[in-house]
Amino acid sequence: MNNLKTLLLLAITSYLLGCGGGSSDSGPNIDLKFNPGSISADLIETETEWWPISVTVTGDIADIKDDVYIYIVDDTGVISTDVYIRQNSQTSYSFELNSKDNLSPGEYKGNIAVKLCKNSSCSSEYKNSPWLLPFDIKVKSHTNLTNRTYIPEYQGWYTTDGNNARTRFVPVNLDPSEFSPRWLWKSPREYRVTKLMTHDEFVYLFEDNKREIGSDYDLNLVAISEETGTESWHTKIPAYFFPHSFTVNEGNIFLTKTVSMNRDEIAEISKIDASNGTILNQKQFIVTEEEVDNGKSITLGRVLADLGNLYFSENNEQFSTDYDFNESWSRPSVGGVFAKVGGNLYAFNSEGITILDSKNGNVIKHIILPDDITNYAPQYIISGSYAIIKTTREIIGYDIENDSIKWEADIPYRSYPHLAVGNGTLFIAANASVKAVDIKTGDEKWSKTIEDNATGRGSLILTNNILFISSEYGTIAIDINTQKLVWGYPFGGQMAISKGSVLYITRYVNSFKSHVLAAINLN
């Protein structure tokens, strides 16, 4: 009994997945029983699934005197080599088998053979070996190029945070029963996919082959057709020009980036033709080596594009230009512009928030916030007359009209909350739960626990009736009226929704298989 127990634990590092094996030998009469007794699954292309299999060992276990090696044999190539074995008791063990993520559409039938062997080459097996676990796995194609339904009040997903208010809200009612995979794009360069935007008939993304901090890497801007899922173009961005911000509007992509060259610091904003990736125009800001030695530096903040105007800032100055960088107005900088709502621009700085008139750059209002807020505030959202401020410590509801903090909510230690705002409600996903909060009072409307830590690093998107939550554990949709889980997708990361009612999902950027982009039909 003890001999088998010890050797099965060692078999975690001794098993082999593949073909091979010898003849069954005489010896102790043992048997394995599987629960469940077979595996069946319906998967979508690239989807994987884990199958926990309980194994009960019976028979003459005490008579086993030799080493035991476990071979798991899959002649069809369906099962991944990520196999886990653990002990539950002296006679009960568990296998966890995982399907491969590169299976082509079709049906896969066969048997997984579990062999108990007397040596590492499995040239001699124990009596009754092997034991067979039947499987039937159906893989559906991810391609479904149906007609798209355009969202009439679409506000754009022109930044990596959605619309220019950065609410991550799309005003549309959705029926989850109509959701279906549209296409799956895989980077032919196998680069990891990062930031996303959509505009007109395309989705735009960055991809890179960065594997570790400080390593050299390539960086591409890629355009993919929403209709067909084919790559329309990609253009290489010098990696030393790492982008700070990018936005797309009216057929143009605008990209800000900063680099140090020959001890000069250069900040640059580029205009790129969204139809073919050609760089049409550039504007540079330069700090000389001498100025750098005297402590001066330069950084371009976020860029916003709206109605033919660009809004951006560098360290010392705020700008509004047309799309060819012809200046409309400039003024001393009041911080990085992070949102535009109606005719107002919102900039954050070390004192708080400054509201500017987008037509002339005049200051409408300064909002002074406590230092413990401004020093730790990584995210602002503007919703009507309220600002939602997320710091590293808390989430704050601020009444802009009355200059007052209306409510504060602590952020749990080492959590990564994601926010979305729409129709007067703030949704917060963190620590395997999601809750709805009244933006005026901070009162909780409802909360829901989500299994499998489904609110890890990722993103949210809110519609009139559905909340999408995406993380490294997958993507789910919750009906915000019933709080019921109504849809799910096997991987997750960053998301965007297009005017054509297509949901885009990346695979979590730290995944070694994060070179894919999924498109989901929503209507």
Side-chain angles (χ1 to χ4, degrees), residues 348-364:
F348 65 88
N349 50 61
S350 60
E351 294 183 344
I353 302 173
T354 300
I355 305 175
L356 303 174
D357 187 328
S358 63
K359 294 180 181 179
N360 52 35
N362 292 339
V363 174
I364 297 174

Side-chain angles (χ1 to χ4, degrees), residues 305-321:
D306 188 43
L307 301 176
N309 293 302
L310 284 179
Y311 306 97
F312 59 95
S313 62
E314 53 95 6
N315 288 13
N316 303 306
E317 201 165 4
Q318 214 99 30
F319 293 94
S320 172
T321 73

Side-chain angles (χ1 to χ4, degrees), residues 45-76:
E45 201 174 354
T46 77
E47 182 180 3
T48 64
E49 186 170 322
W50 283 97
W51 300 295
I53 309 296
S54 297
V55 183
T56 301
V57 185
T58 60
D60 302 329
I61 301 174
D63 294 336
I64 295 178
K65 306 301 181 183
D66 299 317
D67 292 347
V68 178
Y69 294 86
I70 300 177
Y71 271 63
I72 300 176
V73 180
D74 168 28
D75 290 330
T76 61

Side-chain angles (χ1 to χ4, degrees), residues 147-185:
N147 293 330
R148 292 164 292 154
T149 302
Y150 290 91
I151 300 172
E153 298 181 12
Y154 185 70
Q155 300 170 353
W157 204 277
Y158 306 147
T159 77
T160 54
D161 292 320
N163 57 29
N164 282 339
R166 303 187 185 276
T167 59
R168 306 191 69 84
F169 173 67
V170 180
V172 63
N173 292 297
L174 298 174
D175 181 355
S177 67
E178 297 183 353
F179 297 176
S180 66
R182 181 173 186 83
W183 48 255
L184 187 78
W185 178 81

Side-chain angles (χ1 to χ4, degrees), residues 10 64 111-112 147 171 174 224 284 309 342 371 466 487 495:
L10 290 175
I64 295 178
N111 293 291
I112 298 168
N147 293 330
L174 298 174
I224 302 168
Q284 287 190 339
N309 293 302
D371 290 344
I466 296 293
W487 179 80
M495 294 188 295

Side-chain angles (χ1 to χ4, degrees), residues 27 50 60 73 107 137 196 208 224 231 234 269 277 353 422 521:
W50 283 97
D60 302 329
V73 180
E107 185 173 9
I137 300 172
L196 286 178
D208 66 59
I224 302 168
E231 182 176 313
H234 77 272
I269 181 168
I353 302 173
N521 295 308

Side-chain angles (χ1 to χ4, degrees), residues 434-483:
V434 60
K435 63 180 177 180
V437 174
D438 188 300
I439 64 168
K440 294 183 178 180
T441 65
D443 293 339
E444 183 178 301
K445 295 182 177 182
W446 57 262
S447 64
K448 179 181 179 64
T449 299
I450 302 171
E451 296 180 355
D452 299 326
N453 192 24
T455 60
R457 294 177 175 87
S459 59
L460 298 185
I461 292 181
L462 175 66
T463 73
N464 288 335
N465 65 319
I466 296 293
L467 178 68
F468 293 98
I469 304 174
S470 192
S471 75
E472 65 265 44
Y473 301 97
T475 301
I476 60 174
I478 293 175
D479 185 315
I480 62 175
N481 297 310
T482 65
Q483 294 87 60

Side-chain angles (χ1 to χ4, degrees), residues 20-42:
S23 58
S24 297
D25 202 348
S26 59
N29 186 26
I30 58 176
D31 193 19
L32 303 184
K33 297 294 184 184
F34 302 122
N35 185 23
S38 63
I39 294 173
S40 62
D42 292 304

